[in-house]
Each structure stands twice: as structure tokens, then as C-alpha cells.
Amino acid sequence: MNRTQTHRRLRLFVSTSVIAVALGSSAAFAGMEEARRWIDAEFQPSTLSKDEQLKEMEWFVNAAKPFAGMEINVVSETITTHEYEAKTLAKAFSEITGIKLTHDLIQEGDVVEKIQTQMQSGRNIYDAWVNDSDLIGTHFRYKQAVALDDWMAGEGKDVTSPTLDVADFIGRSFTTGPDGKMYQLPDQQFANVYWFRYDWFQRPDLKERFKAKYGYDLGVPVNWSAYEDIAEFFTNDVKEIDGVKVYGHMDYGKKDPSLGWRFTDAWLSMAGNGDKGIPNGMPVDEWGIRMEGCRPVGSSVERGGDTNGPAAVYSIAKYIDWLKKYAPPQANGMNFSESGPVPAQGNIAQQIFWYTAFTADMVKPGLPVMNQDGTPKWRMAPSPHGSYWKEGMKLGYQDAGSWTLLKSTPVERRKAAWLYAQFVTSKTVSLKKSHVGLTFIRESDIWDKSFTERAPKLGGLVEFYRSPARVQWTPTGNNVPDYPKLAQLWWQNIGDAASGAKTPQEAMNSLAAAQDEVLGRLERANVQGECGPKLNPRTSAEEWFKKAEAAGTIAPQRKLANEKPKGETVDYDTLIKSWPASPPKRS
């Protein structure tokens, strides 16, 4: 353990201990006076009136009485939203309900590892988990997670809030299995989108130079060809702005688990890998896994998948090419967390793969990318698509960190933890939480007037979440039968391509073969029932190209003769104005 890790763990131990001491006597003072104090001091703004908030909190106070004094432990990854929950909302919940709640913050990879351990061992590690909806295929097949529809109607009925309003959650389709049941309750959501320096793109001199060279306007790139042209332009033509070296692209390339997210988070679908279909391509999804019914049947092209098909190889080749040519030299040695703050330093023109979870840190006063009036110099917009992409495909990824209950957790502990999960997603607190972390989960919050007023200072975040484009950004879906086992294969194999140890084709061949091997092991173990994998026999790529053409589906696609069509852009302000200005009607 290095010194930094030691200090981090010490700080976490001290802060957790302080919270535990502070909450030690909470049960003695729990009730409506505490609720009223928190509503006045912290839970504003809200989509509810204060009277409605008090009524909602009164239900929590009464529902929690059987669990007063119980010590409950939950966990999530470390992002701004969850820090707010752990430091503020956990304290509020404990004071209002009398349940002693500890909310641990750990790295995303550790969350996946620990939940896998609990599922395999049956030993209760945490009473509830904020676990990415990327594991929906895992939870549905292994039957270790509680189906929340059954829970809310059965064992958990007495602790399910009458004001939960599941229909208001924008990510509920992501947490629903093929059986139509919801397995997870969304707690936070963020997307990866296109980020760019709006102020630079508006400069008449740069616009004139770009159009003179490329024959079309400098604007938000619609396709990867335009993104590449813009990257080339800023890196090698503009070179410097205000005496500072600038780059036309930002990414990261360190062989690290976070490199896997960079690709499983729908990079292949942005290129045009897989089939049409929202939330995930069918019969082939954005991981390249083919489905027959609810069964995964292969990921290599030779089994009908698309993980090593031309579109996937193109996506890896472009990633490597842009990283080498247009990003700062140090980017190749960075991981996800190290690269995240770089655009805020002021020398990056655009980033094709940028998470909206960074928004809260990108709008801090005094940053080089902020104006003095509190508005950003940058904007976010829908992602450009690759040359293999077709209308009707997903276009990007949304992370939907969601509350997950495991059957290995004793029912009484599960009930108390479920109260906390509902508390931190309740309408009493969700609007304020959305303002803190900028990770929307409720339609009612997105359209609240407080975000209409704040929108000009958030660089397009509100406009994106209010737009019809939002539905094309979706998490990993039901096709992935064991996320922990399969996800780890990505960073190892793509890392070989990023380092130059393998060509993009060799790396994707290796990844496809490794995924098929895991699917085969699951098939032989027969632990996932009628929706477990059943591999297709290996044939030839040519046979599957012909089958897709005959069926009228897309994947796997043949290699295109021209993978760089003419660049296409759109004016950002025109794009924003084209989106509707009123919320969708509730059915």
C-alpha cells in the first residue's frame, strides 16, 4: 500500500467513525421535528410543497419505527452524487428515522467485486447496493437479486412508499429484465456525450479557416469524419490559442480496468457495431453478443456476433489513431480518473467521449473554462456516430447507478435498507440531490423551473436530458449474462491494442474468443436456466454476413470500402432550438 492509499484509507476511516459517533444517539431523537428541520435547512428546492414533503417524511418516520436503532450498511461508487448521499442524506435519514445508516464509498470496480463475492458466498456484506444497471443481465439470470416488483407487492409492501412514483424514474427500462420485472431502482444517471469549446467554435477567424480547408462549417460533428477533421484542425492548424498549446482531442490509454469502461460503455455502438434497437441492439447488441430469444449465442462473427467484426475493429483503430495524433502526449498513460479533469484546464478543443458526471466539477468558478458571469465557455451535445452507424441504433451510454437488494441479505435488514434507498430517491430530496450531483433520475426534476433557470450555466446538460435524443443513450443490457466475468476481458485485450502489442483486429479476435469461452463455461455449468448461454457452432464470417443481409438485420456488417465519408456538422444553437420545450405527457 503506498502513502497516498494509506492517507485515503485513514481519512475514510476517520470520516466514517465521525459519522458513526454522530449518529449514535439518533434513534432517541428521530421524528417529525427532525424532518421539519431538514426540510427547511437542506431539502430545498423540491418538486413538492413543504406540506407535501412533511407528509412524505411522516410516512418514513412511521415505517421506520420497527427498525429504530438498527445499524445498516450500504455502498456505492465514489461520485459527487453519492458523496452527497453519504455525507448529508445518510445523516438526515438517521436523524429522521432512528435507523443508524452507514453509506460507504468505494471505487466502482470494488463495488462489482464485492457484490460478486456476496452473490457467490451468500454472506451478507452490505444490506443494499448502488450497483450499475449494467448488471441487469447478471441479476436476472442468477436470481440472486430481489425482483423489486415482487418485493414491493409482497415482503416489502409495508416498507414501500406510496409516493415512490416509479413511473417518474427515467431509467426504469434499463433496470427491467426480459421477464418484465424491475430488479433495480435508479439512484443516479449520467451519459457520455460530446464536449467542446463553444467559445472557440464561435470565433469568426477559426470558422473561416476551417470552412476554407474542409468545405463545411465548424460546428457540432454529426459523424466521426467531422470529429477527426476538427481534431486535426485544432491540433495541427490552430496549434495555439492565447499563447497556449491546444489539442483537438482528449482520451486516455493506460492499461487499467477503467480502460474497459471506455469501450463497454457503448463505444462500439457509436461506431455502428451491432443492430438497431433501443435500449440495446437486437439480435446483436453493442458488446457484439448475439441473442436468440433470451439466450446469448455468441460474440465472435463466426458465431453470429459482432465483437470482432469490421465495425468493432474500425472503432478501436479510430480510438488509437486519435489518441496518438490529437491528444496531449500524457493522455496515453492516463486512466479514467486522471484524464477527467484535463478539459477543465483549458487547452482541449473537444472530447468525443465525455461523461456528464464531470459537469459539477466543470462549472466551478475560476476555472479556465468558465466565464466571469458563471456561464461555461464549453457546451455538451449529442455524440457523433461512426461510418457503420445506422438510424435506429443506440448512440451512446448512460450509467444508471441503481439500488439493488440481494436475497442473501436478511429480510429485516433488507427492509431497513430499502427505506434508505427510497429516501434518497424520494421527491422530497431528489431535486436538491440533482442540483448537487447533476445526475437526474426523475422526469419531474428535469422539467422543474429551477433547472430552467439554471440551464444556461450547465452547458447543455438540461437541454440534453429534456431532448428526444436522450433515449438513444442506454446502459449495457440484458444480453450480457455475467457482467463481472465478461467486463474484465475488455481492458486486458483492448489494452494490448492501445499499447501496440496487438493490432486492432488481433485484439478484437482475442476479445471475441475470450467472451465466447466464458459463454461456453456458463453453458456447460447450466447455472442460468432457460436464459443462459447456448453457443452457436462456429462457421464462417461470410456465412453470417449473408445471413444478416438475407434477414434484413445489420450485424455483422461487411467492411466498408470507405470508412471516412465527408464530414458533417450542425450548428449548436440551431440544434438546441429544434428540441421540444415541454415535458412528455405521463401515460
Side-chain angles (χ1 to χ4, degrees):
M1 186 187 301
N2 63 35
R3 185 176 302 163
T4 302
Q5 290 173 322
T6 303
H7 287 172
R8 281 179 184 157
R9 294 193 180 187
L10 181 59
R11 286 198 301 271
L12 180 60
F13 172 78
V14 171
S15 63
T16 303
S17 299
V18 170
I19 291 171
V21 170
L23 301 182
S25 58
S26 61
F29 303 102
M32 290 307 295
E33 284 305 312
E34 285 68 27
R36 186 174 286 104
R37 178 168 56 82
W38 277 99
I39 287 169
D40 290 339
E42 182 64 32
F43 301 156
Q44 301 301 326
S46 171
T47 56
L48 303 181
S49 68
K50 285 192 176 182
D51 285 344
E52 290 170 329
Q53 287 179 294
L54 283 167
K55 187 175 181 181
E56 186 168 63
M57 288 299 101
E58 184 178 17
W59 179 87
F60 278 99
V61 168
N62 292 329
K65 286 178 180 177
F67 315 102
M70 185 179 287
E71 296 183 9
I72 296 299
N73 302 299
V74 304
V75 70
S76 68
E77 65 174 301
T78 306
I79 64 171
T80 301
T81 297
H82 297 319
E83 289 174 348
Y84 178 66
E85 291 169 339
K87 295 173 183 177
T88 301
L89 296 185
K91 185 174 188 292
F93 177 78
S94 295
E95 291 186 1
I96 292 169
T97 66
I99 298 170
K100 300 177 183 179
L101 197 290
T102 299
H103 185 147
D104 283 348
L105 300 173
I106 61 178
Q107 293 302 308
E108 180 184 1
D110 294 330
V111 175
V112 174
E113 180 183 336
K114 287 180 180 292
I115 197 169
Q116 184 181 31
T117 299
Q118 181 161 332
M119 288 192 295
Q120 290 175 344
S121 69
R123 179 172 59 89
N124 191 52
I125 300 173
Y126 285 101
D127 301 306
W129 307 72
V130 181
N131 174 226
D132 281 358
S133 71
D134 294 335
L135 275 83
I136 182 62
T138 308
H139 293 322
F140 161 71
R141 289 181 176 84
Y142 280 116
K143 307 302 180 186
Q144 297 291 323
V146 175
L148 294 181
D149 291 320
D150 295 341
W151 168 256
M152 291 186 288
E155 286 181 309
K157 185 175 182 180
D158 59 329
V159 288
T160 296
S161 171
T163 55
L164 181 59
D165 192 7
V166 171
D168 193 37
F169 286 79
I170 61 173
R172 64 191 184 280
S173 65
F174 306 152
T175 61
T176 299
D179 56 0
K181 294 179 181 179
M182 188 172 74
Y183 285 82
Q184 300 168 282
L185 181 73
D187 178 85
Q188 50 82 4
Q189 261 180 250
F190 57 88
N192 65 42
V193 294
Y194 173 73
W195 179 96
F196 71 108
R197 284 294 297 270
Y198 177 80
D199 58 336
W200 294 351
F201 279 47
Q202 292 297 107
R203 282 179 48 164
D205 59 328
L206 297 182
K207 293 173 75 170
E208 184 178 337
R209 288 172 62 187
F210 184 86
K211 189 162 188 177
K213 180 174 182 178
Y214 294 102
Y216 61 93
D217 292 329
L218 177 61
V220 174
V222 174
N223 59 11
W224 284 13
S225 299
Y227 183 85
E228 185 173 287
D229 289 346
I230 295 168
E232 168 71 26
F233 176 70
F234 276 100
T235 306
N236 296 320
D237 291 312
V238 177
K239 296 182 181 178
E240 288 188 2
I241 293 179
D242 299 328
V244 177
K245 169 66 179 170
V246 299
Y247 296 91
H249 173 62
M250 183 59 202
D251 215 321
Y252 61 97
K254 186 176 182 179
K255 193 171 184 180
D256 171 269
S258 66
L259 188 63
W261 316 334
R262 170 64 181 78
F263 293 91
T264 58
D265 289 1
W267 180 245
L268 273 64
S269 74
M270 293 165 66
N273 179 265
D275 274 297
K276 295 180 182 180
I278 301 295
N280 305 92
M282 288 295 284
V284 181
D285 75 347
E286 70 274 15
W287 283 42
I289 298 175
R290 175 174 286 271
M291 296 282 278
E292 289 182 6
C294 64
R295 284 188 181 276
V297 295
S299 58
S300 62
V301 172
E302 293 78 10
R303 297 185 194 272
D306 206 11
T307 306
N308 59 331
V313 173
Y314 156 81
S315 78
I316 306 304
K318 285 298 181 186
Y319 155 75
I320 295 170
D321 191 39
W322 296 341
L323 183 65
K324 290 180 178 178
K325 288 183 177 179
Y326 309 125
Q330 65 269 27
N332 193 57
M334 288 181 168
N335 62 23
F336 170 78
S337 58
E338 292 165 343
S339 68
V342 173
Q345 295 169 8
N347 65 337
I348 304 298
Q350 59 172 358
Q351 184 166 339
I352 193 171
F353 200 86
W354 183 84
Y355 287 92
T356 61
F358 293 133
T359 307
D361 291 326
M362 287 283 283
V363 295
K364 292 179 177 177
L367 288 174
V369 293
M370 292 295 291
N371 294 311
Q372 290 187 350
D373 64 358
T375 58
K377 297 177 181 179
W378 53 268
R379 298 290 188 275
M380 65 182 79
S383 311
H385 56 73
S387 57
Y388 288 84
W389 189 87
K390 305 288 191 302
E391 192 68 44
M393 289 182 170
K394 68 182 288 182
L395 189 50
Y397 172 84
Q398 278 201 71
D399 182 291
S402 306
W403 285 103
T404 308
L405 303 177
L406 295 182
K407 294 178 180 178
S408 50
T409 301
V411 172
E412 292 304 294
R413 300 189 65 82
R414 206 188 301 161
K415 285 185 174 183
W418 175 238
L419 287 173
Y420 177 67
Q422 294 173 94
F423 177 83
V424 298
T425 58
S426 68
K427 290 184 179 179
T428 291
V429 307
S430 68
L431 180 58
K432 174 60 180 290
K433 188 176 81 169
S434 295
H435 275 287
V436 173
L438 300 176
T439 54
F440 298 110
I441 54 168
R442 288 184 176 273
E443 194 82 56
S444 56
D445 292 338
I446 294 169
W447 289 93
D448 186 77
K449 64 178 182 180
S450 64
F451 272 113
T452 301
E453 294 165 356
R454 195 181 175 192
K457 295 187 176 182
L458 295 178
L461 178 71
V462 175
E463 290 85 350
F464 172 77
Y465 269 96
R466 289 180 175 181
S467 81
R470 184 187 78 204
V471 301
Q472 288 182 298
W473 276 251
T474 66
T476 298
N478 289 302
N479 293 23
V480 179
D482 193 317
Y483 184 92
K485 286 187 176 70
L486 291 166
Q488 65 182 340
L489 304 174
W490 286 68
W491 69 271
Q492 296 164 357
N493 286 286
I494 292 173
D496 287 341
S499 69
K502 292 180 179 177
T503 67
Q505 183 70 68
E506 289 169 343
M508 298 313 281
N509 286 346
S510 178
L511 174 59
Q515 286 202 143
D516 282 347
E517 184 178 340
V518 171
L519 296 180
R521 289 205 305 267
L522 291 172
E523 179 182 1
R524 291 189 295 275
N526 194 28
V527 292
Q528 295 189 331
E530 61 183 13
C531 289
K534 188 175 183 179
L535 282 176
N536 283 331
R538 285 178 60 90
T539 57
S540 67
E542 178 61 26
E543 184 173 333
W544 281 103
F545 291 145
K546 289 180 178 178
K547 282 183 178 181
E549 291 162 356
T553 54
I554 295 172
Q557 294 185 64
R558 298 179 186 275
K559 182 176 174 60
L560 294 173
N562 176 22
E563 292 185 331
K564 192 183 178 187
K566 182 176 174 59
E568 181 183 351
T569 59
V570 62
D571 176 70
Y572 176 79
D573 295 309
T574 302
L575 173 69
I576 295 299
K577 289 175 184 176
S578 72
W579 288 338
S582 59
K585 293 181 179 179
R586 292 278 291 272
S587 56

